[in-house]
Amino acid sequence: MTPIDDSTGADERTVAESMLRSLAESGVEYVFSNFGTDHTPLIEAAARLRESGGDDRLPEFVVCPHEFVALSAAHGYAVRTGDPQAVLVHVDVGTQNLGAAMHNAHRANAPVFVIAGLSPVSDAGYPGSRDNPVHYAQDVFDQTSIVEEYCRWTEEYRVPADPNETVRRGLERAASTPSGPVYLTATREALETPSPTEPGDVRPVRRARPAGPDDHALDDVVARLEDAARPLVVTSSGAGPMGDPDLDALVGFAETVGAGVVEHVPHELCFPRDHDLHVGFDPTDPVREADLLVVLESDVPWVPSKTTVPDDLDVVQIDTEPSKAAYPKWPFEIDTTLMTDPAAALRRLAERVGTAGGGDGTFWREMHAEQRAAAERRVEESRAAGRLDAAVLSDAIGDHVDEETVVLQGATTNRVPALEQIPLSEPGSFFWRGGAGLGWAVPAGIGAKLAAPDHRVISLLGDGGYLFSNPAASVLAADNANAPTLSVIYHNEGWEAVRRATRKQHETGAAAAQGVPEGDYGETVDLSRVATIGDAHARRVDDLDSLDEALSEAVAAVDGGQDAVLDVRLDVEG
């Protein structure tokens, strides 16, 4: 191969420029970026577009000082809107830094378009050739394999492929059911190549999703519903597509057939939590009382070691991807499956059943009332005792939640009090990370705020999770994005999930007797102080008497355009 000049002509439109313009023209608003030496073609292409007045043909770069922050922010934007956003990371090392954020996006089906550079392949003589010793260290055999299991599509851009079509195909795979991350790589030489196609020649991005069921598929389910007096729905995701959860479809169905609704480890708000057919977040007791179980868009409808499903209880599954191909094991016994658009199926079922049968919902309404009364008692008793626990903190946060608030749930051991005590009923008002990667809620709040700039965004997480959030990088990224949020730390001085799991499995064991010291990560003074590296409002809360004042100050700061972090020290039993 004959070397060519090692610079790209000022008038040449490169593959890098075509890709950036294709992203913008396909609806990508932001590229959450952690730049490296492999991104010089993209940086130059963006500068040329800005210089020529082409800013409207360019997504906005949001600089994120850590890749976990970048991907989590894109995840937060995507689940709020349903629109894939882009993430730019640095060769293999940046790809590895995506880590738990990639896992979360995979399990949450969050559509994100990750772009990573590859080490240059030429030693000299080409635009983008190696010019730094690190370009040899970063050359690995199979960079894509680092994240391949978590992706819906992976590809390397190679000349002379159409860069517009490459971008379109990646976005299509990210947004189609099951949605999720995609991963594109390219060398500097490939990105510096003159583009083989004109920018703007981008076909529409399809969002493939199963259609509604036919009448024959509904017949069996209709008959079961007509015979049921206490039907129960267990759900984890909205009935509609991402960005449009279509709460009305499930509300209409539940009211028509008299079904109770359990949100089990919900990824988003699936059903209004103040509705009198909402029966909590644990299916164990409701399943025991049901005479028909409908599993709606749920990857883990119950935990078999905790919840016993009676042998004579019929189980109907309504899901866009019922076989759960991404799970090595899926041990849930199903009697009838509808692979369909859940919202369309719920509406058709409600129409077919009508007044012909089903329950009246009285039993579930009574259960809802009992659950609400018990939740209120827990707060009243703790406040009377002067205890600042998770229920009290969540109830106080609830006072600052309205129809224009988005809550991002990152707490682990305090997840249930937060779910029970914070009243949410609006579509798009609640999201959970979807997977096991701690720290998501803080940087995801940046993306959620960009997606809903007129909304107040509140991120909840534990102290261990806050440390995992790359808090310094998150503060800087929030400043870069002009996306102020409130982060509330449920601080219990350690990894309480580790302690509880050990005590649960080895209740009388040596570790429990020793207090599970492995659950401690070290004493901390005030985690909120990390946020002061930027212009953030930061405060530590040590007692119940100062809680309401501290929350009011923090909310006022956020509403005024300032990031805020509260480190709330909880009273922890035992």
Side-chain angles (χ1 to χ4, degrees):
M1 187 173 182
T2 304
I4 60 175
D5 182 62
D6 62 359
S7 62
T8 305
D11 297 328
E12 291 183 294
R13 182 174 292 115
T14 63
V15 166
E17 179 182 334
S18 288
M19 284 188 173
L20 290 174
R21 293 180 63 170
S22 294
L23 287 168
E25 290 162 14
S26 298
V28 174
E29 299 284 345
Y30 298 99
V31 181
F32 298 93
S33 306
N34 188 274
F35 292 107
T37 59
D38 47 329
H39 300 144
T40 50
L42 293 164
I43 293 169
E44 177 64 16
R48 289 183 183 182
L49 282 171
R50 288 193 296 267
E51 188 176 60
S52 66
D55 290 33
D56 58 339
R57 296 168 288 172
L58 176 69
E60 180 179 341
F61 287 123
V62 176
V63 177
C64 300
H66 195 280
E67 293 84 352
F68 177 88
V69 173
L71 181 49
S72 297
H75 179 164
Y77 188 105
V79 293
R80 184 62 172 75
T81 64
D83 298 327
Q85 299 302 294
V87 176
L88 187 61
V89 300
H90 178 46
V91 293
D92 62 322
V93 289
T95 299
Q96 292 179 74
N97 268 353
L98 293 171
M102 181 64 83
H103 161 90
N104 288 338
H106 166 54
R107 288 303 186 204
N109 294 326
V112 289
F113 194 119
V114 180
I115 303 169
L118 292 172
S119 183
V121 292
S122 60
D123 293 308
Y126 294 88
S129 291
R130 297 180 180 186
D131 57 14
N132 190 305
V134 77
H135 294 151
Y136 295 87
Q138 291 168 346
D139 192 10
V140 298
F141 289 102
D142 190 359
Q143 181 174 309
T144 298
S145 66
I146 299 168
V147 295
E148 192 165 21
E149 180 176 344
Y150 304 93
C151 294
R152 308 298 180 262
W153 173 90
T154 62
E155 178 67 301
E156 178 188 348
Y157 174 77
R158 290 160 291 182
V159 178
D162 180 349
N164 301 330
E165 172 58 19
T166 301
V167 168
R168 188 205 66 81
R169 178 59 174 162
L171 290 171
E172 178 178 87
R173 292 299 303 125
S176 294
T177 303
S179 56
V182 299
Y183 183 78
L184 174 67
T185 58
T187 64
R188 295 202 309 187
E189 296 98 328
L191 291 172
E192 290 284 14
T193 302
S195 180
T197 55
E198 287 296 315
D201 185 20
V202 183
R203 294 190 289 125
V205 175
R206 298 180 301 169
R207 301 190 181 203
R209 182 175 173 85
D214 58 38
D215 288 336
H216 178 73
L218 293 176
D219 288 342
D220 179 57
V221 180
V222 168
R224 294 172 190 261
L225 286 167
E226 289 176 344
D227 291 339
R230 293 180 184 173
L232 177 69
V233 177
V234 175
T235 184
S236 304
S237 295
M242 189 165 291
D244 181 17
D246 202 345
L247 302 191
D248 290 343
L250 182 51
V251 169
F253 172 82
E255 292 176 346
T256 298
V257 305
V261 178
V262 172
E263 291 185 284
H264 189 228
V265 287
H267 294 188
E268 61 184 323
L269 187 79
C270 310
F271 194 77
R273 291 172 186 168
D274 57 359
H275 195 288
D276 58 7
L277 288 172
H278 191 290
V279 288
F281 307 94
D282 184 348
T284 302
D285 291 339
V287 163
R288 192 181 300 120
E289 304 294 341
D291 58 4
L292 177 67
L293 178 57
V294 178
V295 175
L296 180 74
E297 281 291 286
S298 181
D299 290 352
V300 185
W302 63 85
V303 177
S305 64
K306 179 180 178 183
T307 301
T308 299
V309 177
D311 292 338
D312 60 350
L313 180 62
D314 289 341
V315 182
V316 174
Q317 182 189 26
I318 302 175
D319 205 296
T320 53
E321 206 280 286
S323 69
K324 307 300 176 186
Y327 286 81
K329 296 179 176 63
W330 205 78
F332 307 98
E333 188 171 340
I334 304 294
D335 296 299
T336 299
T337 295
L338 296 181
M339 181 176 178
T340 181
D341 178 275
L346 292 173
R347 287 193 167 88
R348 292 282 298 281
L349 287 168
E351 291 171 1
R352 291 276 302 274
V353 174
T355 59
D360 63 8
T362 299
F363 180 84
W364 302 121
R365 290 185 172 92
E366 292 174 352
M367 180 178 284
H368 170 84
E370 292 170 359
Q371 290 177 348
R372 292 310 312 148
E376 290 169 5
R377 279 196 305 273
R378 285 191 284 273
V379 173
E380 291 169 358
E381 291 169 359
S382 291
R383 280 191 175 272
R387 285 180 52 79
L388 176 49
D389 59 17
V392 168
L393 173 56
S394 300
D395 178 67
I397 292 169
D399 292 338
H400 299 278
V401 169
D402 58 23
E403 294 181 352
E404 295 189 341
T405 302
V406 179
V407 174
L408 300 172
Q409 167 65 273
T412 301
T413 53
N414 294 309
R415 178 180 61 86
V416 173
L419 290 170
E420 290 179 341
Q421 302 295 343
I422 300 176
L424 296 167
S425 60
E426 295 299 313
S429 61
F430 171 87
F431 298 98
W432 176 62
R433 62 184 180 264
L438 297 181
W440 169 86
V442 175
I446 299 169
K449 181 65 175 179
L450 291 173
D454 295 331
H455 284 54
R456 179 183 299 151
V457 176
I458 303 176
S459 298
L460 315 176
L461 71 173
D463 47 310
Y466 186 68
L467 293 172
F468 277 52
S469 73
N470 293 279
S474 291
V475 168
L476 295 175
D479 286 348
N480 293 337
N482 191 25
T485 68
L486 169 59
S487 298
V488 181
I489 304 169
Y490 287 61
H491 197 140
N492 52 28
E493 266 313 342
W495 288 305
E496 186 63 21
V498 175
R499 297 181 185 130
R500 290 187 185 182
T502 304
R503 292 174 185 141
K504 184 176 181 179
Q505 187 174 351
H506 300 283
E507 184 176 359
T508 61
Q514 296 168 21
V516 195
E518 290 78 7
D520 297 327
Y521 55 74
E523 293 185 8
T524 58
V525 178
D526 181 358
L527 290 179
S528 73
R529 291 172 62 182
V530 177
T532 61
I533 68 165
D535 182 29
H537 172 89
R539 180 170 174 178
R540 169 173 165 164
V541 180
D542 291 293
D543 54 63
L544 182 57
D545 291 341
S546 59
L547 175 62
D548 292 333
E549 177 193 25
L551 276 169
S552 295
E553 288 179 355
V555 167
V558 170
D559 290 349
Q562 186 180 19
D563 217 37
V565 178
L566 287 184
D567 180 5
V568 182
R569 301 303 175 106
L570 299 180
D571 295 321
V572 181
E573 293 181 359

